[in-house]
Amino acid sequence: MKDLFNAVLRLLVKIALRLYFNKIKVSGKENIPKNHPVILVANHQNALIDPLLLATHTNLKPWFLTRAAVFKNPMVSKILHYIRMLPVYRVRDGFSTIQQNQQTFEATFEVLKKNGTVVIFAEGSHSIVRNVRTLSKGFTRMAFGLKEKYPQLEPLILPVALEFSAHKKSGSLVIIDFGKPIPVDMPPSKSGLLTKKVQETLQSMVVEIPDEGYDENLQKILDAEVDVTSKKAVSEFLGKGNIIESVDRPSPIKNKLMKVFHFPLYWIWLSISPKIEDRVFESTFKFLIGFFLAPIYYLLLLILALESPLGSWTLSFLIMAWISLLWNKNPQE
């Protein structure tokens, strides 16, 4: 029953993501290992959107390590575990809680023992800054702990790069790039080398705008309409000033029409937006509003189209809402 529920949920979320974003490009799927324990290590730029993309655009059926704070409510904890999430404790949660991570590691070992997949965002937190931050060592501890407990297993680290043309906007472009798997073929005493190798691999895949002069360089990239999701294009522009991959700035009318035909949902977003403290969660809240409330909104319009005197007008409005959603496109940011 749990597997069926998760399969249906993944399908619904995948459809919703395809409608929320203008385009989702996936590359490197041939690098996804088969019949191996997989520890998927990805950069983390867009809050809940990142795990949703990884859960729905692979056939790995992954488990996710999630900050322990969201597991405090027993009922919420059961729901999160049901949808394949496990708590990870950090120093900020209290030093005494760190020991509880051993239970989480034991749970991941059982997942990986069956050639399952565990996703870890090794940067430790999310940020819309376009570069790879220093990776924590949790994934190496997991890999070597698995090999110690089950020496016959051969875990692989799968690096994944996530890129967004506009982190906080719908109608944007997403890139999911699966890199070549990295074997855990060194002794635990060399765990630092494994961390360094994964760090360097991710840096070779993810768009890198240096921290020094970051805002100025990002604005130059956007003004020159360089494809901000292309590592090659950004590197060439920052290094030599050449524009090898550019994007057209979409007409604002597309996004405005989407808002008009979804005004009740847009109004809900406007009422929630000022209360969001961490702006990285903007896209998450927009997506969740659409995922849970858009079907109700469309159903109400359909009922009005069938039952009200203004049926033909309401039906036309509903069709335009669908068209504007598919047509929606936002510029880079």
Side-chain angles (χ1 to χ4, degrees), residues 38-47 49-51 53-55 64 118-127 131-136 139 157-164 175-179 198-199 201-203 205-206:
V38 176
I39 301 173
L40 191 156
V41 180
N43 62 315
H44 196 13
Q45 295 187 357
N46 210 349
I49 298 296
D50 292 342
L53 286 166
L54 294 175
F64 292 86
V118 175
V119 175
I120 182 167
F121 296 102
E123 292 169 305
S125 62
H126 56 234
S127 171
N131 54 46
V132 178
R133 289 163 286 139
T134 302
L135 303 186
S136 64
F139 69 93
I157 309 296
L158 181 63
V160 181
L162 297 168
E163 305 283 6
F164 300 84
I175 304 291
I176 307 173
D177 183 21
F178 295 91
V198 176
Q199 175 95 32
T201 300
L202 276 178
Q203 287 174 331
M205 298 168 63
V206 175

Short mmCIF file of all heavy atoms in Angstrom, two decimals, residues 38-47 49-51 53-55 64 118-127 131-136 139 157-164 175-179 198-199 201-203 205-206:
data_model
loop_
_atom_site.label_atom_id
_atom_site.label_comp_id
_atom_site.label_asym_id
_atom_site.label_seq_id
_atom_site.Cartn_x
_atom_site.Cartn_y
_atom_site.Cartn_z
N VAL A 38 22.94 3.44 -3.87
CA VAL A 38 23.25 4.75 -4.44
C VAL A 38 23.06 5.83 -3.38
O VAL A 38 21.98 5.94 -2.78
CB VAL A 38 22.37 5.06 -5.65
CG1 VAL A 38 22.64 6.49 -6.16
CG2 VAL A 38 22.62 4.06 -6.77
N ILE A 39 24.10 6.61 -3.15
CA ILE A 39 24.01 7.81 -2.31
C ILE A 39 24.06 9.00 -3.25
O ILE A 39 25.09 9.30 -3.85
CB ILE A 39 25.15 7.86 -1.29
CG1 ILE A 39 25.12 6.63 -0.38
CG2 ILE A 39 25.04 9.14 -0.45
CD1 ILE A 39 26.31 6.52 0.56
N LEU A 40 22.92 9.62 -3.45
CA LEU A 40 22.80 10.72 -4.41
C LEU A 40 23.13 12.03 -3.69
O LEU A 40 22.48 12.39 -2.71
CB LEU A 40 21.39 10.74 -4.99
CG LEU A 40 21.10 11.64 -6.19
CD1 LEU A 40 19.89 11.11 -6.97
CD2 LEU A 40 20.84 13.07 -5.77
N VAL A 41 24.16 12.72 -4.18
CA VAL A 41 24.60 13.98 -3.57
C VAL A 41 24.33 15.11 -4.56
O VAL A 41 24.87 15.11 -5.67
CB VAL A 41 26.10 13.92 -3.21
CG1 VAL A 41 26.53 15.25 -2.58
CG2 VAL A 41 26.37 12.78 -2.24
N ALA A 42 23.49 16.06 -4.15
CA ALA A 42 23.10 17.15 -5.05
C ALA A 42 23.33 18.50 -4.39
O ALA A 42 23.36 18.61 -3.16
CB ALA A 42 21.62 17.01 -5.42
N ASN A 43 23.51 19.52 -5.22
CA ASN A 43 23.52 20.89 -4.69
C ASN A 43 22.10 21.26 -4.30
O ASN A 43 21.13 20.62 -4.73
CB ASN A 43 24.10 21.86 -5.72
CG ASN A 43 23.27 21.94 -6.98
OD1 ASN A 43 22.86 20.91 -7.53
ND2 ASN A 43 23.04 23.14 -7.49
N HIS A 44 21.98 22.30 -3.47
CA HIS A 44 20.65 22.59 -2.88
C HIS A 44 20.36 24.07 -3.00
O HIS A 44 20.78 24.87 -2.17
CB HIS A 44 20.67 22.15 -1.42
CG HIS A 44 19.32 22.02 -0.79
ND1 HIS A 44 18.14 22.00 -1.52
CD2 HIS A 44 18.95 21.89 0.52
CE1 HIS A 44 17.13 21.84 -0.69
NE2 HIS A 44 17.59 21.78 0.54
N GLN A 45 19.58 24.45 -4.02
CA GLN A 45 19.32 25.87 -4.28
C GLN A 45 17.86 26.27 -4.12
O GLN A 45 17.56 27.46 -4.08
CB GLN A 45 19.79 26.23 -5.70
CG GLN A 45 21.29 26.12 -5.91
CD GLN A 45 21.72 26.64 -7.28
OE1 GLN A 45 20.91 27.05 -8.10
NE2 GLN A 45 23.02 26.65 -7.52
N ASN A 46 16.94 25.31 -4.03
CA ASN A 46 15.53 25.71 -4.11
C ASN A 46 14.62 24.96 -3.15
O ASN A 46 13.55 24.47 -3.53
CB ASN A 46 15.03 25.54 -5.55
CG ASN A 46 13.94 26.54 -5.89
OD1 ASN A 46 13.41 27.23 -5.02
ND2 ASN A 46 13.59 26.62 -7.16
N ALA A 47 15.02 24.89 -1.88
CA ALA A 47 14.17 24.37 -0.79
C ALA A 47 13.50 23.05 -1.17
O ALA A 47 14.16 22.13 -1.66
CB ALA A 47 13.16 25.44 -0.39
N ILE A 49 11.55 22.25 -3.55
CA ILE A 49 11.49 21.95 -4.98
C ILE A 49 12.58 20.96 -5.38
O ILE A 49 12.36 20.06 -6.21
CB ILE A 49 11.62 23.24 -5.82
CG1 ILE A 49 10.45 24.19 -5.51
CG2 ILE A 49 11.69 22.92 -7.30
CD1 ILE A 49 9.09 23.66 -5.89
N ASP A 50 13.77 21.07 -4.78
CA ASP A 50 14.89 20.18 -5.14
C ASP A 50 14.57 18.71 -4.90
O ASP A 50 14.70 17.89 -5.82
CB ASP A 50 16.15 20.58 -4.36
CG ASP A 50 16.70 21.93 -4.79
OD1 ASP A 50 16.33 22.41 -5.87
OD2 ASP A 50 17.49 22.52 -4.03
N PRO A 51 14.15 18.30 -3.69
CA PRO A 51 13.83 16.89 -3.49
C PRO A 51 12.64 16.42 -4.32
O PRO A 51 12.61 15.27 -4.76
CB PRO A 51 13.53 16.78 -1.99
CG PRO A 51 13.28 18.17 -1.52
CD PRO A 51 14.10 19.04 -2.41
N LEU A 53 11.90 17.38 -7.36
CA LEU A 53 12.42 17.12 -8.71
C LEU A 53 13.17 15.80 -8.75
O LEU A 53 13.00 15.00 -9.69
CB LEU A 53 13.34 18.26 -9.14
CG LEU A 53 12.66 19.58 -9.52
CD1 LEU A 53 13.68 20.70 -9.59
CD2 LEU A 53 11.92 19.45 -10.85
N LEU A 54 13.98 15.53 -7.74
CA LEU A 54 14.77 14.30 -7.74
C LEU A 54 13.90 13.07 -7.51
O LEU A 54 14.18 11.99 -8.03
CB LEU A 54 15.86 14.38 -6.66
CG LEU A 54 16.94 15.45 -6.91
CD1 LEU A 54 17.89 15.53 -5.73
CD2 LEU A 54 17.71 15.14 -8.20
N ALA A 55 12.84 13.23 -6.73
CA ALA A 55 11.95 12.10 -6.47
C ALA A 55 11.12 11.72 -7.68
O ALA A 55 10.75 10.55 -7.85
CB ALA A 55 11.02 12.43 -5.30
N PHE A 64 15.00 10.43 1.56
CA PHE A 64 15.63 11.74 1.72
C PHE A 64 15.99 11.98 3.18
O PHE A 64 15.23 11.64 4.09
CB PHE A 64 14.69 12.86 1.27
CG PHE A 64 14.42 12.86 -0.21
CD1 PHE A 64 13.41 12.08 -0.75
CD2 PHE A 64 15.19 13.63 -1.07
CE1 PHE A 64 13.17 12.07 -2.12
CE2 PHE A 64 14.95 13.63 -2.44
CZ PHE A 64 13.94 12.85 -2.96
N VAL A 118 19.55 6.83 -1.29
CA VAL A 118 19.37 7.87 -0.27
C VAL A 118 19.89 9.17 -0.85
O VAL A 118 20.99 9.22 -1.41
CB VAL A 118 20.12 7.53 1.03
CG1 VAL A 118 20.01 8.69 2.02
CG2 VAL A 118 19.57 6.26 1.65
N VAL A 119 19.08 10.23 -0.75
CA VAL A 119 19.48 11.55 -1.26
C VAL A 119 19.95 12.41 -0.10
O VAL A 119 19.28 12.49 0.94
CB VAL A 119 18.30 12.25 -1.97
CG1 VAL A 119 18.69 13.67 -2.37
CG2 VAL A 119 17.87 11.45 -3.19
N ILE A 120 21.09 13.05 -0.27
CA ILE A 120 21.59 13.96 0.75
C ILE A 120 22.06 15.26 0.07
O ILE A 120 22.77 15.23 -0.93
CB ILE A 120 22.73 13.31 1.57
CG1 ILE A 120 23.22 14.26 2.66
CG2 ILE A 120 23.88 12.86 0.69
CD1 ILE A 120 24.11 13.60 3.69
N PHE A 121 21.58 16.38 0.61
CA PHE A 121 22.04 17.69 0.13
C PHE A 121 23.21 18.08 1.02
O PHE A 121 23.03 18.66 2.09
CB PHE A 121 20.90 18.70 0.18
CG PHE A 121 19.75 18.35 -0.73
CD1 PHE A 121 18.60 17.78 -0.22
CD2 PHE A 121 19.85 18.56 -2.09
CE1 PHE A 121 17.55 17.43 -1.06
CE2 PHE A 121 18.81 18.23 -2.95
CZ PHE A 121 17.65 17.66 -2.43
N ALA A 122 24.40 17.73 0.57
CA ALA A 122 25.59 17.77 1.43
C ALA A 122 26.08 19.17 1.76
O ALA A 122 26.98 19.32 2.60
CB ALA A 122 26.72 16.96 0.78
N GLU A 123 25.52 20.20 1.13
CA GLU A 123 25.89 21.56 1.51
C GLU A 123 25.33 21.92 2.88
O GLU A 123 25.76 22.89 3.50
CB GLU A 123 25.40 22.56 0.46
CG GLU A 123 26.11 22.45 -0.88
CD GLU A 123 25.43 23.27 -1.96
OE1 GLU A 123 24.22 23.08 -2.18
OE2 GLU A 123 26.12 24.11 -2.58
N GLY A 124 24.33 21.14 3.33
CA GLY A 124 23.80 21.33 4.68
C GLY A 124 22.66 22.31 4.81
O GLY A 124 21.94 22.31 5.80
N SER A 125 22.48 23.17 3.82
CA SER A 125 21.39 24.14 3.82
C SER A 125 21.15 24.58 2.38
O SER A 125 21.94 24.29 1.49
CB SER A 125 21.74 25.35 4.70
OG SER A 125 22.89 26.02 4.19
N HIS A 126 20.04 25.29 2.16
CA HIS A 126 19.77 25.75 0.81
C HIS A 126 20.17 27.20 0.62
O HIS A 126 20.25 27.97 1.58
CB HIS A 126 18.28 25.56 0.45
CG HIS A 126 17.36 26.25 1.43
ND1 HIS A 126 16.33 25.59 2.08
CD2 HIS A 126 17.30 27.52 1.89
CE1 HIS A 126 15.69 26.43 2.86
NE2 HIS A 126 16.25 27.61 2.76
N SER A 127 20.43 27.57 -0.62
CA SER A 127 20.79 28.95 -0.95
C SER A 127 20.63 29.13 -2.46
O SER A 127 20.97 28.24 -3.23
CB SER A 127 22.24 29.24 -0.55
OG SER A 127 22.66 30.50 -1.06
N ASN A 131 26.58 28.68 -6.89
CA ASN A 131 27.86 28.00 -6.80
C ASN A 131 27.72 26.87 -5.78
O ASN A 131 26.69 26.76 -5.11
CB ASN A 131 29.02 28.95 -6.45
CG ASN A 131 28.77 29.75 -5.19
OD1 ASN A 131 28.35 29.21 -4.18
ND2 ASN A 131 29.05 31.06 -5.26
N VAL A 132 28.74 26.04 -5.68
CA VAL A 132 28.70 24.91 -4.74
C VAL A 132 29.41 25.31 -3.46
O VAL A 132 30.57 25.71 -3.48
CB VAL A 132 29.37 23.66 -5.35
CG1 VAL A 132 29.35 22.51 -4.34
CG2 VAL A 132 28.65 23.25 -6.63
N ARG A 133 28.68 25.22 -2.34
CA ARG A 133 29.29 25.52 -1.06
C ARG A 133 30.03 24.29 -0.51
O ARG A 133 29.90 23.19 -1.05
CB ARG A 133 28.20 25.98 -0.09
CG ARG A 133 27.65 27.38 -0.45
CD ARG A 133 26.31 27.65 0.22
NE ARG A 133 25.24 26.89 -0.41
CZ ARG A 133 24.26 26.29 0.25
NH1 ARG A 133 24.25 26.30 1.57
NH2 ARG A 133 23.32 25.64 -0.40
N THR A 134 30.77 24.47 0.55
CA THR A 134 31.55 23.38 1.13
C THR A 134 30.64 22.23 1.57
O THR A 134 29.62 22.46 2.24
CB THR A 134 32.35 23.87 2.35
OG1 THR A 134 33.20 24.94 1.93
CG2 THR A 134 33.20 22.76 2.92
N LEU A 135 30.99 21.01 1.17
CA LEU A 135 30.17 19.85 1.50
C LEU A 135 30.49 19.32 2.89
O LEU A 135 31.64 19.31 3.31
CB LEU A 135 30.40 18.73 0.48
CG LEU A 135 30.15 19.05 -1.00
CD1 LEU A 135 30.28 17.78 -1.83
CD2 LEU A 135 28.79 19.69 -1.21
N SER A 136 29.45 18.89 3.59
CA SER A 136 29.65 18.22 4.87
C SER A 136 30.07 16.78 4.60
O SER A 136 30.00 16.29 3.48
CB SER A 136 28.36 18.25 5.70
OG SER A 136 27.34 17.51 5.05
N PHE A 139 27.74 12.20 3.93
CA PHE A 139 27.58 11.16 2.92
C PHE A 139 28.75 10.17 2.93
O PHE A 139 28.59 8.99 2.62
CB PHE A 139 27.40 11.77 1.52
CG PHE A 139 28.61 12.45 0.96
CD1 PHE A 139 29.50 11.77 0.16
CD2 PHE A 139 28.85 13.79 1.22
CE1 PHE A 139 30.61 12.39 -0.38
CE2 PHE A 139 29.95 14.43 0.70
CZ PHE A 139 30.85 13.73 -0.10
N ILE A 157 28.51 6.89 -5.19
CA ILE A 157 28.07 8.27 -5.00
C ILE A 157 27.63 8.81 -6.36
O ILE A 157 28.41 8.79 -7.32
CB ILE A 157 29.20 9.16 -4.43
CG1 ILE A 157 29.84 8.52 -3.19
CG2 ILE A 157 28.66 10.55 -4.12
CD1 ILE A 157 28.93 8.36 -2.02
N LEU A 158 26.39 9.28 -6.45
CA LEU A 158 25.88 9.83 -7.71
C LEU A 158 25.74 11.35 -7.58
O LEU A 158 24.83 11.84 -6.92
CB LEU A 158 24.52 9.21 -8.05
CG LEU A 158 23.88 9.69 -9.37
CD1 LEU A 158 24.74 9.31 -10.57
CD2 LEU A 158 22.47 9.12 -9.51
N PRO A 159 26.66 12.13 -8.19
CA PRO A 159 26.55 13.59 -8.12
C PRO A 159 25.48 14.11 -9.08
O PRO A 159 25.37 13.64 -10.21
CB PRO A 159 27.94 14.06 -8.55
CG PRO A 159 28.45 12.96 -9.44
CD PRO A 159 27.83 11.68 -8.94
N VAL A 160 24.69 15.06 -8.61
CA VAL A 160 23.61 15.62 -9.43
C VAL A 160 23.63 17.15 -9.30
O VAL A 160 23.71 17.69 -8.20
CB VAL A 160 22.23 15.09 -9.00
CG1 VAL A 160 21.14 15.69 -9.89
CG2 VAL A 160 22.19 13.58 -9.06
N ALA A 161 23.57 17.82 -10.45
CA ALA A 161 23.53 19.28 -10.48
C ALA A 161 22.11 19.75 -10.81
O ALA A 161 21.48 19.26 -11.76
CB ALA A 161 24.50 19.82 -11.53
N LEU A 162 21.62 20.68 -10.00
CA LEU A 162 20.30 21.29 -10.23
C LEU A 162 20.51 22.77 -10.56
O LEU A 162 21.19 23.48 -9.82
CB LEU A 162 19.42 21.15 -8.99
CG LEU A 162 19.06 19.73 -8.56
CD1 LEU A 162 18.43 19.73 -7.17
CD2 LEU A 162 18.09 19.10 -9.55
N GLU A 163 19.92 23.20 -11.66
CA GLU A 163 20.04 24.61 -12.08
C GLU A 163 18.65 25.17 -12.36
O GLU A 163 17.77 24.46 -12.89
CB GLU A 163 20.89 24.74 -13.34
CG GLU A 163 22.27 24.12 -13.26
CD GLU A 163 23.27 24.95 -12.49
OE1 GLU A 163 22.87 25.99 -11.92
OE2 GLU A 163 24.45 24.58 -12.46
N PHE A 164 18.44 26.45 -12.03
CA PHE A 164 17.15 27.12 -12.25
C PHE A 164 17.41 28.45 -12.94
O PHE A 164 18.28 29.21 -12.52
CB PHE A 164 16.44 27.37 -10.92
CG PHE A 164 16.13 26.13 -10.13
CD1 PHE A 164 17.09 25.56 -9.32
CD2 PHE A 164 14.88 25.53 -10.22
CE1 PHE A 164 16.82 24.41 -8.58
CE2 PHE A 164 14.60 24.38 -9.50
CZ PHE A 164 15.57 23.81 -8.68
N ILE A 175 17.20 22.57 -14.96
CA ILE A 175 18.15 21.61 -15.51
C ILE A 175 18.48 20.59 -14.42
O ILE A 175 18.84 20.97 -13.31
CB ILE A 175 19.45 22.28 -15.98
CG1 ILE A 175 19.17 23.39 -17.00
CG2 ILE A 175 20.42 21.24 -16.54
CD1 ILE A 175 18.68 22.89 -18.33
N ILE A 176 18.34 19.30 -14.74
CA ILE A 176 18.77 18.23 -13.83
C ILE A 176 19.83 17.43 -14.57
O ILE A 176 19.55 16.82 -15.60
CB ILE A 176 17.60 17.31 -13.43
CG1 ILE A 176 16.42 18.12 -12.89
CG2 ILE A 176 18.06 16.28 -12.39
CD1 ILE A 176 15.18 17.28 -12.64
N ASP A 177 21.05 17.43 -14.05
CA ASP A 177 22.17 16.78 -14.73
C ASP A 177 22.79 15.72 -13.81
O ASP A 177 23.33 16.05 -12.75
CB ASP A 177 23.22 17.82 -15.11
CG ASP A 177 24.39 17.21 -15.89
OD1 ASP A 177 24.21 16.12 -16.47
OD2 ASP A 177 25.48 17.83 -15.91
N PHE A 178 22.70 14.46 -14.22
CA PHE A 178 23.26 13.36 -13.46
C PHE A 178 24.70 13.11 -13.92
O PHE A 178 24.93 12.85 -15.11
CB PHE A 178 22.43 12.09 -13.64
CG PHE A 178 21.03 12.20 -13.08
CD1 PHE A 178 19.98 12.63 -13.88
CD2 PHE A 178 20.77 11.88 -11.76
CE1 PHE A 178 18.70 12.75 -13.37
CE2 PHE A 178 19.50 11.99 -11.23
CZ PHE A 178 18.46 12.43 -12.04
N GLY A 179 25.63 13.19 -12.99
CA GLY A 179 27.03 12.96 -13.34
C GLY A 179 27.39 11.49 -13.28
O GLY A 179 26.56 10.63 -12.97
N VAL A 198 34.05 14.42 -4.61
CA VAL A 198 32.65 14.74 -4.88
C VAL A 198 32.48 16.25 -4.99
O VAL A 198 31.74 16.75 -5.85
CB VAL A 198 31.74 14.16 -3.78
CG1 VAL A 198 30.29 14.58 -4.00
CG2 VAL A 198 31.83 12.63 -3.76
N GLN A 199 33.16 17.01 -4.12
CA GLN A 199 33.10 18.47 -4.16
C GLN A 199 33.57 18.98 -5.53
O GLN A 199 32.89 19.80 -6.17
CB GLN A 199 33.99 19.05 -3.06
CG GLN A 199 34.11 20.57 -3.08
CD GLN A 199 33.13 21.26 -2.16
OE1 GLN A 199 32.78 20.74 -1.13
NE2 GLN A 199 32.69 22.44 -2.55
N THR A 201 33.76 17.32 -8.33
CA THR A 201 32.86 16.87 -9.40
C THR A 201 31.64 17.77 -9.50
O THR A 201 31.25 18.18 -10.60
CB THR A 201 32.42 15.41 -9.14
OG1 THR A 201 33.58 14.57 -9.09
CG2 THR A 201 31.51 14.93 -10.25
N LEU A 202 31.03 18.09 -8.36
CA LEU A 202 29.87 18.97 -8.38
C LEU A 202 30.25 20.36 -8.90
O LEU A 202 29.49 20.97 -9.67
CB LEU A 202 29.26 19.09 -6.99
CG LEU A 202 28.27 17.99 -6.58
CD1 LEU A 202 27.78 18.22 -5.15
CD2 LEU A 202 27.08 17.93 -7.52
N GLN A 203 31.41 20.85 -8.51
CA GLN A 203 31.85 22.16 -8.99
C GLN A 203 32.08 22.17 -10.49
O GLN A 203 31.92 23.21 -11.14
CB GLN A 203 33.12 22.58 -8.25
CG GLN A 203 32.87 22.98 -6.80
CD GLN A 203 34.14 23.26 -6.03
OE1 GLN A 203 35.19 22.70 -6.34
NE2 GLN A 203 34.06 24.12 -5.03
N MET A 205 30.20 20.60 -12.52
CA MET A 205 28.89 20.44 -13.14
C MET A 205 27.98 21.65 -12.94
O MET A 205 27.17 21.97 -13.81
CB MET A 205 28.20 19.19 -12.55
CG MET A 205 28.91 17.88 -12.79
SD MET A 205 28.22 16.54 -11.79
CE MET A 205 26.53 16.45 -12.43
N VAL A 206 28.11 22.30 -11.79
CA VAL A 206 27.19 23.38 -11.41
C VAL A 206 27.74 24.73 -11.88
O VAL A 206 28.95 24.96 -11.85
CB VAL A 206 27.00 23.40 -9.87
CG1 VAL A 206 26.15 24.59 -9.44
CG2 VAL A 206 26.35 22.09 -9.41
#
